Amino acid sequence: MISGMIRAAMVDDIADIRAMIRELAAYERAAEQARATEEQLREALFGEHPAAFALIAEDDETGQAVGYALWFPRFSTWTGTRGMHLEDLYVRPHARGGGHGKALLASLAAVCRQNGYERFEWWVLDWNQPAIDFYKSLGAELLNEWTVCRLSGAPLGELADRAPAPLDRTSAP
């Protein structure tokens, strides 16, 4: 039985979302990397052109946020359709085991179905066995043959400096 409800995030949830992002980063051993400000999150989630969307898991007795899922659309050239990338899924430790994570993922799957998204993808740290086991129990396929690549900081800037000509800013979202 799931204790609580899942709802779309609202502007008033920004402080809770930011706090849970920091809790997730600490759990993932990367607390110093969670630098997003409330202002950045407000713009990303509720600005004129949202970059991402979020759901909140609430405790039914207290009405407090006990978890969140933050996602954004992606596009597959292979299927020619949009999909969903789940950036964060987090349930606070005291609320784990109550079905909130499963309810968040089920709600996201429903968003995929409603929007015709053919893929729902996310990353999981290879050492996070409880999460891996949970995802497998839901039927998720782990794509072990793929490696995540990332450019940031100085290497990103250095590569950008090599661009042959300035890009038209209207070509980016």
Side-chain angles (χ1 to χ4, degrees):
M1 179 81 171
I2 296 171
S3 173
M5 64 175 255
I6 306 300
R7 63 171 175 78
M10 299 178 291
V11 172
D12 291 347
D13 294 314
I14 294 293
D16 281 331
I17 292 169
R18 182 171 181 254
M20 288 187 284
I21 288 169
R22 289 173 178 255
E23 293 168 25
L24 174 59
Y27 174 78
E28 292 183 350
R29 306 172 189 161
E32 69 286 350
Q33 295 178 37
R35 301 183 321 252
T37 66
E38 287 187 21
E39 294 76 24
Q40 288 173 312
L41 293 170
R42 187 175 293 106
E43 180 62 27
L45 296 172
F46 302 104
E48 186 175 343
H49 301 286
F53 305 90
L55 297 178
I56 299 292
E58 281 187 350
D59 180 272
D60 63 353
E61 292 179 17
T62 66
Q64 296 295 308
V66 294
Y68 79 104
L70 193 142
W71 66 276
F72 53 86
R74 57 183 304 159
F75 180 77
S76 169
T77 58
W78 289 19
T79 66
T81 61
R82 286 184 175 226
M84 176 184 288
H85 177 79
L86 175 60
E87 180 67 15
D88 290 349
L89 176 69
Y90 179 73
V91 175
R92 288 183 157 147
H94 74 275
R96 292 181 187 154
H100 300 291
K102 189 178 287 186
L104 283 164
L105 287 172
S107 296
L108 292 171
V111 170
C112 288
R113 183 171 52 201
Q114 290 165 0
N115 289 289
Y117 296 170
E118 291 189 22
R119 291 183 178 172
F120 177 16
E121 298 176 329
W122 62 93
W123 302 338
V124 61
L125 291 166
D126 60 5
W127 56 260
N128 192 348
Q129 198 61 48
I132 291 169
D133 293 343
F134 172 61
Y135 298 145
K136 283 182 175 179
S137 78
L138 299 175
E141 174 186 7
L142 275 65
L143 303 176
N144 295 322
E145 69 273 13
W146 289 90
T147 299
V148 176
C149 299
R150 177 181 293 159
L151 273 174
S152 61
L156 176 62
E158 291 165 8
L159 185 58
D161 290 343
R162 295 182 194 162
L167 295 176
D168 178 3
R169 291 187 55 88
T170 61
S171 65

